[in-house]
């Protein structure tokens, strides 16, 4: 696999280099130059296989030549030791619950695979690494747990102090050891900007910094797998499928775009956002403008005013966008809008969906999953398209007890993984959104 930078000013690299370095030296995001296309016969042969076997077989093609099959199989089966339920709502609607991993979030799918792949390459080269990751909620906890106790990797997580739930925070701050958590006085976009600036700072090059955010291609490739999985379990070729994806930094949606490129018959990708509506506005008008500061919504992990992965999407559809959001070449908006539908969902609509699904179906939904469901309802209302759809539940409802309680008056029972963090001691530092302060912190901690 060869990967190029979305800014088109850096050399092509291997998957190992893209995974370990995270961001390209020209500040662009790495993208695969070529991806395998899976035939109907290849995919049909996987229909009855469990998730880890499907992941192994697909990744062995995608990463062919990058890692030996025996190591990849061991890594894959170790990473995916939990269920991936597909819950029927009605004959044309399913919820894919991606909340059964150790941190009860879809981020576990990418973080656990990524940590194990990084460990594989670092051990081979006898190297150490420091992961910097910005999070609006679930990424930080998934990354922290995935990398916890690895002896050659340190992790530093930055999160907006007032915009994560208590359980999200405790999943990041109760580990200690090789995990450091920083509560930032700012927004997710501030955290993400500091991380990107650190990667590009020549004064910090000797620290061997990398990322576990969705700016790292090592996050997106594993996330493409569950779109294959749901299709194989619910459809027969050449039947089409629709995916509705609650979106913030747009990494999850980009995984779906990659799956479509690799042969999954996806009729439409629905990218549903909260009140940070810069992407649907861009799709509808062709004009892109960041939201600064981002709006604080109850679907807090999606409070993103400038999604990093938009640059990847623009590139795939023939355009060019730099890391600041400046578009130097427009993508083919007709093709993009034919493939992807994006809509914005208010907090009031989000709460109403949480209530409706509990009262009508007895199904617990948290705010992010509710945004995905509302996006599907909006699309169906606009298109009269009743193609079978899978909407993603990206976190366990118990991660957002206040929001769920306010909607339905019932406190969802947390899984044991969430119960375990309640009484643990927290370890974290506080910091303003100031780069020089952050840079000095990194030097003191890592030099």
């Amino acid at each position: 696999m060869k990967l190029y930078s979305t800014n088109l000013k850096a050399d092509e690299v291997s998957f190992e280099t893209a995974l370990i370095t995270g961001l390209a030296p020209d500040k662009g995001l790495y993208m695969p130059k070529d991806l395998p296309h899976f035939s109907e016969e290849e995919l049909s042969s996987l229909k009855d296989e469990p998730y880890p076997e499907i992941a192994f077989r697909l990744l062995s093609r995608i990463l062919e030549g990058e890692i030996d099959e025996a190591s990849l199989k061991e890594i894959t089966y170790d990473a995916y030791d939990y269920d991936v339920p597909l819950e029927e709502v009605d004959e044309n609607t399913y919820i894919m619950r991606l909340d059964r991993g150790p941190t009860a979030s879809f981020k576990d799918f990418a973080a656990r695979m990524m940590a194990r792949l990084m460990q594989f390459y670092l051990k081979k080269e006898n190297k150490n690494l420091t992961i910097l990751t910005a999070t609006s909620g679930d990424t930080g906890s998934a990354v922290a747990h995935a990398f916890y106790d690895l002896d050659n990797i340190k992790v530093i997580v930055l999160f907006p102090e007032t915009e994560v739930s208590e359980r999200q925070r405790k999943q990041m701050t109760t580990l200690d050891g090789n995990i450091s958590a920083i509560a930032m006085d700012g927004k997710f976009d501030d955290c993400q900007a500091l991380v990107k600036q650190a990667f590009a700072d020549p004064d910090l090059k000797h620290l061997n910094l990398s990322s576990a955010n969705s700016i790292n291609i090592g996050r997106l490739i594993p996330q493409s797998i569950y779109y294959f999985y749901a299709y194989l379990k619910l459809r027969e070729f050449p039947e089409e499928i629709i995916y509705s994806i609650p979106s913030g930094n747009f990494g999850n949606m980009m995984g779906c775009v990659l799956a479509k490129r690799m042969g999954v018959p996806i009729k439409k990708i629905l990218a549903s956002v909260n009140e940070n509506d810069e992407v649907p506005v861009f799709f509808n008008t062709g004009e892109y403008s960041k939201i600064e500061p981002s709006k604080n919504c109850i679907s807090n992990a999606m409070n993103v005013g400038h999604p990093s992965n938009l640059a990847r999407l623009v590139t795939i559809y023939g355009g060019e966008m730099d890391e600041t959001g400046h578009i130097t070449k427009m993508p083919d908006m007709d093709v993009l809008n034919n493939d992807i539908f994006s809509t914005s969902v208010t907090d009031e609509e989000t709460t109403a969906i949480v209530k409706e699904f509990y009262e009508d179906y007895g199904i617990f939904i948290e705010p992010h999953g509710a945004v995905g469901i509302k996006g599907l309802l909006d699309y169906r209302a606009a298109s009269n398209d009743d193609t079978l759809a899978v909407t993603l539940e990206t976190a366990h409802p118990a991660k957002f007890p206040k929001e769920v309680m306010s909607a339905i008056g019932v406190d969802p029972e947390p899984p044991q993984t969430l119960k375990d963090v309640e009484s643990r001691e927290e370890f974290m530092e506080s910091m303003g959104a100031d780069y020089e302060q952050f840079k000095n912190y990194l030097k003191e901690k890592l030099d």
Side-chain angles (χ1 to χ4, degrees), residues 102-104 167 171 396-399 414-422:
T103 68
R167 282 175 174 153
Q171 285 184 313
H396 195 285
K399 294 191 88 167
Q416 191 60 45
T417 52
L418 291 182
K419 291 178 182 177
D420 288 345
V421 303
E422 294 292 343

Side-chain angles (χ1 to χ4, degrees), residues 145 161 173 280 326 335 340 371 407:
H145 280 260
E161 186 169 15
T173 60
H326 178 63
V335 177
I340 303 170
V371 169

